[in-house]
Amino acid sequence: MGLICIQTCVYCMKKTNSSNEFTDRSPIINFLQVQQNQIEINLEHEMRELRAHGMSRLEEKYETAQKQHELKLQLIEQQIKDKENELQLMLNFRSAGKQKSLKEQFLLDLQINVIAKNGEKSAEGNQRIYEVMRDYIKDNDDMTGSSFDEISTDTPVYHLVDFIKAIKKCRIVDISTTDQSSTDIQINCTSSKAMEDFLTAISSNGFHQELFELRRWLLVQCDIESHDIIANCSSNGIEKVKQRLYFTGVTRSMTCTEHQHTQCTLYCPDHDTFLCTACRESKHGTCLGIKQVTSERSYVEQKRRLNIKSIKGVYSVRIDNTLINRNKNDQDECIITSMCMLPNGEVLLADILNNRLKKLDSSYKVISHCDVTEHPFSVCYIGNDTAVASLSGNSIQYVNISDNINLTQLVKLDHECYDLACHGDTLYICSRYTIYNYNKDCTQQHVLYHYPDKTYSPLIAISDNGERLYFKAKTDLTTTDDKGNHLFDEQFDGYRLRDICMVGEGIVLVLDETNSIHQLDYNGKKHRTVDNMPLNISFPQSMCFDRERCRLIVGGSEDKIHVYKCEFLPS
């Protein structure tokens, strides 16, 4: 029916068109003109405008999302950095506890930040937490025991405050806010043990659960949606406490209890323990929330330099018994090609000409020695009262160093053995052109790195976290990662390198043939020459660093070792 009506109208229009009874504005005539293709409808321009508008809106949304993503990444990076600083400080206090208890008061600021969905700080969320926390602390100004109504809507805030108050010898002394961007809680810890307990508590899973409840409280009770709640100690407060620890001479490192030569670089909140990377793989594989204590980030940013404060003394390492045991006297000059620190503060030396290993006590007096079958090039400690020495006959000699030095197992390898180092359960051995890694009993050989130009490479050192390896290539120092990927080469003006050792805190020391000692950073880049180094040693050969007493020990070819007192100074 509709079609008939249209056709009738069209017929009528045709009959009346000649008599001009209808104007051009008639919708029926317009319709007829469209039908007759007399009017062009051009949609292309409109589609272009619509497409441009859509792309513009899409670009705006993308830029907004990109900015939010970058903000969130920056927050995560800062959170990781802050947590590393907290854990490093906890490690320092735990090391201090092994030496002496510091009866001093320490102040730290715990900052609580609410992060909005867009990655920025939520002023509304932070202000709400601050107000409730301020009123609760004011009502309980004794800063000790607290009481509150368990059915209160603000209970999660009260729980967080009481969690902090429950830490022994820790007291909340002030609470403030900075432009509504964070809630700052000032904590006074009355001893090094209290500070360690506080840092342990805020790194625990229980504390993170309190923050989770706080975030849920903001959403349910306050209608404030957040992306995250971050609680970290202020970096300024941590640095001030660290400086006080440095002035007291507290050790700034801790060796793993399972792998005594290896530095702890990880923290497990499930077991409240520091561990090395080898322990993580073998014993903590199922633990959640394992955190890095030190990393490349903190190494790169470290701004400390090692300085020689004074010479401690020059000590003889020659065995010369004129009355008894004449056959045990050193027949040749003592050339110390390698040395390493033992966990109890003793020192193990390799005397290459006399084919002997020698152990010194903490006053650098020879207290034990043993003969080996070939020239010893290098020694290192691998844990459990065991050390290994690389010998000139393609051999690795295991020795027990618990009392007197006693030879145990001799392992023959299919390549030369010049230098060696150990990290965790992995033993690294240098041949002339290749770096190998083994397990501790020298099986399961793998090639880690090979010099394509057949460059002589007899020296190796490993960073505390096991992620950087440093070895000599004639007059250069090569840095790789723990997978053998080449990272960096540093040149030393044509002078041959004699030894490499790790100081800690991302500092690498390199000894060259001119009696100069160079300080390098974590990535193997030359930082500076160590100041006040009064070396006057004929043919310097080896060195090691005593972290417990902050001393540098250097050996050469004159029957003696030189011991220097060191100090860390700001760059």
Side-chain angles (χ1 to χ4, degrees), residues 230-361:
I230 300 173
N232 286 318
C233 294
S234 70
S235 56
N236 289 336
I238 288 178
E239 284 304 315
K240 288 179 181 178
V241 175
K242 280 185 176 180
Q243 289 176 8
R244 293 179 65 184
L245 287 177
Y246 290 140
F247 289 136
T248 60
V250 172
T251 301
R252 291 172 290 277
S253 62
M254 180 186 293
T255 56
C256 176
T257 54
E258 294 292 328
H259 308 94
Q260 297 172 9
H261 66 294
T262 306
Q263 295 300 311
C264 294
T265 57
L266 301 166
Y267 175 74
C268 175
D270 287 352
H271 297 89
D272 182 25
T273 184
F274 288 94
L275 56 142
C276 68
T277 53
C279 286
R280 176 183 59 185
E281 296 173 359
S282 61
K283 294 187 176 182
H284 297 265
T286 60
C287 296
L288 299 176
I290 290 183
K291 301 176 181 66
Q292 189 85 30
V293 180
T294 54
S295 68
E296 180 177 354
R297 180 184 298 101
S298 57
Y299 284 146
V300 170
E301 293 177 357
Q302 62 88 17
K303 298 179 180 179
R304 299 176 62 76
R305 59 189 175 92
L306 187 68
N307 182 64
I308 302 301
K309 189 175 182 179
S310 63
I311 185 165
K312 170 68 176 175
V314 179
Y315 301 87
S316 173
V317 293
R318 183 174 183 83
I319 299 174
D320 190 7
N321 300 316
T322 57
L323 299 178
I324 57 174
N325 296 329
R326 289 177 179 270
N327 59 330
K328 295 296 183 180
N329 292 349
D330 290 331
Q331 301 300 314
D332 292 302
E333 181 183 15
C334 301
I335 298 181
I336 308 303
T337 54
S338 178
M339 60 179 73
C340 70
M341 293 300 305
L342 301 177
N344 58 1
E346 297 174 343
V347 187
L348 187 63
L349 310 177
D351 182 350
I352 192 169
L353 286 189
N354 291 290
N355 287 1
R356 280 182 173 163
L357 303 179
K358 301 175 180 179
K359 186 168 71 169
L360 314 182
D361 62 15

Side-chain angles (χ1 to χ4, degrees), residues 1-238:
M1 180 65 70
L3 180 59
I4 294 174
C5 292
I6 292 176
Q7 289 175 346
T8 303
C9 292
V10 172
Y11 175 75
C12 294
M13 285 188 293
K14 287 182 178 179
K15 292 199 64 171
T16 58
N17 190 37
S18 59
S19 61
N20 295 321
E21 293 181 6
F22 293 92
T23 65
D24 289 343
R25 293 183 180 180
S26 170
I28 298 177
I29 292 177
N30 289 340
F31 178 78
L32 180 62
Q33 289 174 340
V34 171
Q35 291 288 77
Q36 293 175 343
N37 295 322
Q38 292 178 0
I39 297 177
E40 291 186 4
I41 299 177
N42 187 355
L43 298 178
E44 184 177 352
H45 177 69
E46 295 179 4
M47 291 298 295
R48 279 202 301 266
E49 289 185 348
L50 184 62
R51 186 181 297 110
H53 178 70
M55 291 298 295
S56 176
R57 291 291 302 277
L58 186 62
E59 288 178 0
E60 289 177 1
K61 290 185 177 181
Y62 175 78
E63 289 177 359
T64 301
Q66 186 71 12
K67 289 179 180 178
Q68 292 179 2
H69 179 67
E70 291 175 356
L71 278 172
K72 289 179 181 178
L73 284 180
Q74 291 175 5
L75 286 168
I76 291 173
E77 285 287 324
Q78 186 62 43
Q79 187 178 10
I80 293 173
K81 180 181 177 181
D82 291 341
K83 184 54 64 177
E84 286 173 354
N85 286 335
E86 290 174 7
L87 291 172
Q88 184 63 60
L89 188 58
M90 189 203 307
L91 181 65
N92 292 346
F93 273 104
R94 199 159 291 187
S95 299
K98 290 187 175 183
Q99 300 177 60
K100 55 185 177 181
S101 179
L102 302 178
K103 299 298 183 181
E104 301 182 40
Q105 294 191 0
F106 301 92
L107 288 175
L108 276 183
D109 288 324
L110 182 64
Q111 298 179 336
I112 299 177
N113 292 284
V114 180
I115 308 302
K117 284 292 187 180
N118 61 3
E120 297 180 348
K121 292 182 179 180
S122 170
E124 182 184 11
N126 285 313
Q127 184 66 15
R128 178 63 177 149
I129 290 177
Y130 165 69
E131 290 173 351
V132 175
M133 195 172 289
R134 176 200 60 196
D135 294 341
Y136 181 61
I137 292 177
K138 183 179 179 181
D139 293 340
N140 299 272
D141 55 5
D142 60 346
M143 302 300 180
T144 55
S146 305
S147 61
F148 57 86
D149 186 354
E150 284 288 351
I151 62 173
S152 169
T153 57
D154 298 329
T155 296
V157 182
Y158 304 158
H159 272 302
L160 184 65
V161 173
D162 288 349
F163 184 95
I164 297 172
K165 289 183 178 181
I167 305 170
K168 292 182 178 180
K169 297 186 178 181
C170 290
R171 185 171 182 266
I172 298 176
V173 295
D174 192 20
I175 180 171
S176 60
T177 182
T178 307
D179 299 328
Q180 298 182 351
S181 62
S182 67
T183 300
D184 302 337
I185 309 172
Q186 191 174 63
I187 312 293
N188 179 31
C189 302
T190 59
S191 67
S192 59
K193 180 63 168 62
M195 176 65 82
E196 180 193 331
D197 291 343
F198 171 73
L199 293 168
T200 302
I202 65 173
S203 298
S204 67
N205 292 328
F207 185 73
H208 292 147
Q209 181 62 32
E210 298 292 347
L211 294 179
F212 175 79
E213 295 296 333
L214 201 61
R215 180 185 173 195
R216 188 164 62 177
W217 166 78
L218 281 175
L219 178 62
V220 176
Q221 301 296 337
C222 310
D223 197 24
I224 299 174
E225 193 173 4
S226 62
H227 169 68
D228 198 3
I229 295 183
I230 300 173
N232 286 318
C233 294
S234 70
S235 56
N236 289 336
I238 288 178

